[in-house]
Amino acid sequence: MTAKLIDGKAFAATVRAKVAAHVAQIKEENGITPGLAVVLVGEDPASQVYVRSKGKQTVEVGMNSYEYKLAADTSEADLLALIDRLNKDPEVHGILVQLPLPKHLDSDLVINSINPAKDVDGFHISNVGLLGTGQKSMVPCTPLGCLMMLRDYHGSLSGMNAVVIGRSNIVGKPMANLLLGDSCTVTIAHSRTKDLPSVVRQADIVVTAVGRPEMATGDWIKPGATVIDVGINRIERDGKTVLVGDCEFDSCEAVAGAITPVPGGVGPMTIACLLANTLTACCRAHGLREPEGLTA
Ligand code: GUN
């Protein structure tokens, strides 16, 4: 069997088009423009690239983008003062503080100082608790993107066996909660899991989010299973730097029913879902109808 390729790049473009159409409608009917504030502390090159890309795509869907670039030695008090100002600003519907923060800043304190209703990353402890108890929340962008692709491919996920490899707060744990919310039977596996390949072989849906290049091989995959590869790993191959996922693509693709490639799978969905979350936050703030198909 050769797996169907789940094209995250194309899917992200349809999500952005849906967001743009809804943004145009609320501008026209309600005179409201959703706004996203992105805060970057320091000069980490990878973070600078992400932040630039977020700003560009925000403007492309018709929303306002506010960028705050702070020096690497910014004090916690100054950062918290900026967040307080953004929390109170009615033009700002979403706030994202780019991670990782410089070591002298307490990330948990900073994230938990964001108004949960504007927490478009879904990292605030209130949103984590709401998601964990099946209540309406802001949902972390990467797992939300994975859920959208799974729903699009399968329709209902009810009763499926899902194995999530990785227990991070950003991907693994929220992914497991989302799959549980869609009535999957969920296992969270991690570095201490015994006989990981045999656990993964039980899965109808496999989500890998560990950052270990090409860890999962085709013999781990149940024939016909759906594989969602969240890993983005840079490795040297034949003297070149290449991007690979947590799954060995060729061997998994030969066994799976469907698979996301790296690059071009989950990656492009993350910013698309950030834009979707900003629109959702704006609609909730103003008591407007929420966009369909763009939330959990
Ligand atoms: N750094 C890498 N990924 C992310 C993300 O999804 N959100 C934030 N805030 N920072 C990140």
Side-chain angles (χ1 to χ4, degrees):
M1 183 193 284
T2 300
K4 176 193 153 35
L5 219 57
I6 300 178
D7 185 344
K9 198 169 164 203
F11 200 98
T14 70
V15 169
R16 286 195 302 273
K18 272 191 206 170
V19 170
H22 204 102
V23 167
Q25 190 192 336
I26 63 173
K27 271 190 193 177
E28 167 85 17
E29 292 177 6
N30 308 97
I32 295 164
T33 303
L36 171 64
V38 175
V39 180
L40 173 63
V41 186
E43 272 110 44
D44 178 63
S47 292
Q48 285 178 328
V49 173
Y50 286 133
V51 166
R52 208 173 308 131
S53 189
K54 283 168 188 169
K56 182 167 169 276
Q57 294 189 34
T58 302
V59 172
E60 279 170 4
V61 295
M63 305 200 289
N64 289 328
S65 169
Y66 309 97
E67 272 182 35
Y68 297 86
K69 293 186 176 160
L70 309 182
D73 63 353
T74 297
S75 71
E76 200 160 83
D78 283 352
L79 179 56
L80 293 176
L82 171 60
I83 291 172
D84 186 49
R85 191 148 59 78
L86 297 172
N87 281 341
K88 290 174 177 150
D89 186 339
E91 303 281 315
V92 172
H93 304 96
I95 303 170
L96 178 144
V97 177
Q98 186 67 27
L99 300 175
L101 285 170
K103 290 207 167 32
H104 68 284
L105 299 169
D106 177 345
S107 300
D108 287 338
L109 178 73
V110 169
I111 297 302
N112 289 327
S113 73
I114 297 170
N115 175 351
K118 298 189 178 189
D119 167 37
V120 283
D121 259 331
F123 295 165
H124 189 288
I125 191 69
S126 297
N127 283 315
V128 175
L130 289 167
L131 176 61
T133 50
Q135 300 178 71
K136 196 152 116 173
S137 65
M138 295 307 300
V139 176
C141 303
T142 299
L144 178 59
C146 297
L147 183 75
M148 282 183 192
M149 291 192 289
L150 284 166
R151 283 177 175 170
D152 182 67
Y153 181 68
H154 284 286
S156 169
L157 308 181
S158 181
M160 297 179 83
N161 282 333
V163 173
V164 178
I165 316 179
R167 52 178 155 175
S168 71
N169 292 333
I170 293 181
V171 183
K173 286 179 198 161
M175 187 76 249
N177 271 323
L178 288 171
L179 292 165
L180 207 48
D182 272 26
S183 302
C184 291
T185 302
V186 182
T187 302
I188 306 181
H190 47 77
S191 55
R192 303 289 176 93
T193 296
K194 291 202 177 102
D195 196 359
L196 182 58
S198 75
V199 173
V200 176
R201 269 194 291 273
Q202 307 300 311
D204 305 307
I205 293 169
V206 183
V207 180
T208 57
V210 286
R212 290 186 56 189
E214 301 177 324
M215 170 192 67
T217 46
D219 58 317
W220 293 26
I221 306 298
K222 177 160 101 173
T226 301
V227 177
I228 305 290
D229 190 348
V230 181
I232 300 177
N233 310 291
R234 252 169 248 280
I235 63 162
E236 295 295 318
R237 177 167 289 156
D238 305 328
K240 282 189 233 147
T241 305
V242 291
L243 284 186
V244 298
D246 293 340
C247 300
E248 188 184 68
F249 185 81
D250 289 350
S251 64
C252 289
E253 196 248 0
V255 183
I259 187 167
T260 58
V262 178
V266 175
M269 287 296 287
T270 298
I271 297 183
C273 287
L274 174 67
L275 305 175
N277 276 350
T278 304
L279 173 59
T280 298
C282 175
C283 291
R284 288 179 186 169
H286 291 279
L288 304 175
R289 179 179 64 82
E290 286 180 31
E292 269 162 42
L294 298 181
T295 50

